Amino acid sequence: AQSVSQHNHHVILSEAASLELGCNYSYGGTVNLFWYVQYPGQHLQLLLKYFSGDPLVKGIKGFEAEFIKSKFSFNLRKPSVQWSDTAEYFCAVNGPGGSYIPTFGRGTSLIVHP
Amino acid sequence: NAGVTQTPKFQVLKTGQSMTLQCAQDMNHEYMSWYRQDPGMGLRLIHYSVGAGITDQGEVPNGYNVSRSTTEDFPLRLLSAAPSQTSVYFCASTLDRDSGNTIYFGEGSWLTVV
């Protein structure tokens, strides 16, 4: 079965700081990779996704992620965070390694101080 | 096109009661799944279905039952509610097993068992 590890459980930043959230997955074959965001009291929304092609993926709200196959990683980045980025972030993987039902990491809670 | 619709949004149950969380999607998606979200645990898969008439267990299936009589509907039944089932529940769907398909989430159901 696939597993997804998010190494940072809680991150606290000041506005304008740079952000990098780590995500590693276990399966070595072809996978689809996602980052989702959950704002307080809301459901999950897609930030960005990787299926194939350019390993550097750009998403909404200035977020990007880089797929590094050799490291089984899909880290999320943003050069300058805003207070409105305060949310919980989830990395997810689906693909033929386990099933096409996605597996999620435990999430990273990001708090951005104004 | 409503996407993934979950009802109810909020529910309080007494220990031992049973109830059904409804989930419907109008996108003709084959794959549907139920997750529960608990603080620090991320999203954990309860049950999933890869098509009408086919269901399987996820990571935390105990105390829950599902059926998939139609492509559109995937209800989750709590057989005898326990306080440990207090959680936020999300239904999700994705088109099929081909690469490149995004996961769509319902808005969540907040369940409290007292």
Side-chain angles (χ1 to χ4, degrees):
Chain A
Q2 298 177 92
S3 65
V4 179
S5 298
Q6 289 183 241
H7 313 296
N8 318 99
H9 298 299
H10 300 280
V11 174
I12 301 173
L13 296 172
S14 297
E15 273 194 321
S18 64
L19 171 72
E20 180 160 3
L21 302 182
C23 173
N24 287 91
Y25 60 95
S26 61
Y27 180 65
T30 302
V31 292
N32 305 321
L33 298 155
F34 307 84
W35 274 97
Y36 279 81
V37 61
Q38 185 181 31
Y39 298 105
Q42 297 189 23
H43 65 294
L44 285 85
Q45 303 171 40
L46 181 68
L47 266 182
L48 47 78
K49 58 187 178 184
Y50 172 81
F51 298 139
S52 63
D54 188 344
L56 185 62
V57 179
K58 295 194 183 297
I60 60 170
K61 304 188 181 186
F63 286 91
E64 65 179 30
E66 185 175 12
F67 170 53
I68 303 179
K69 189 173 182 179
S70 61
K71 295 184 178 181
F72 300 92
S73 71
F74 190 55
N75 293 353
L76 181 71
R77 299 194 292 247
K78 186 171 184 178
S80 176
V81 294
Q82 300 173 318
W83 174 80
S84 57
D85 293 324
T86 294
E88 190 137 14
Y89 293 80
F90 294 93
C91 182
V93 176
N94 74 358
S99 74
Y100 282 85
I101 300 297
T103 301
F104 285 82
R106 290 194 169 189
T108 298
S109 173
L110 172 65
I111 296 175
V112 180
H113 290 300
Chain B
N1 187 341
V4 180
T5 304
Q6 275 184 247
T7 57
K9 188 155 188 176
F10 300 98
Q11 182 72 49
V12 179
L13 285 179
K14 293 183 179 178
T15 298
Q17 285 185 316
S18 62
M19 78 157 297
T20 299
L21 299 177
Q22 301 291 345
C23 177
Q25 52 89 10
D26 60 359
M27 298 173 282
N28 203 32
H29 285 178
E30 289 187 22
Y31 284 56
M32 296 185 74
S33 49
W34 276 102
Y35 295 86
R36 59 178 289 173
Q37 183 181 19
D38 302 289
M41 302 296 290
L43 279 82
R44 293 182 292 169
L45 182 65
I46 304 171
H47 284 285
Y48 66 96
S49 168
V50 299
I54 307 169
T55 64
D56 206 345
Q57 296 181 350
E59 182 185 354
V60 288
N62 292 340
Y64 306 95
N65 202 1
V66 291
S67 59
R68 185 93 180 272
S69 56
T70 66
T71 300
E72 293 78 20
D73 299 300
F74 190 47
L76 177 73
R77 280 179 282 277
L78 280 71
L79 308 172
S80 177
S84 61
Q85 293 178 303
T86 293
S87 187
V88 184
Y89 292 85
F90 288 97
C91 179
S93 74
T94 188
L95 181 58
D96 56 33
R97 64 186 299 141
D98 292 337
S99 64
N101 289 294
T102 301
I103 314 152
Y104 294 84
F105 284 92
E107 294 198 343
S109 297
W110 275 254
L111 176 66
T112 301
V113 183
V114 298

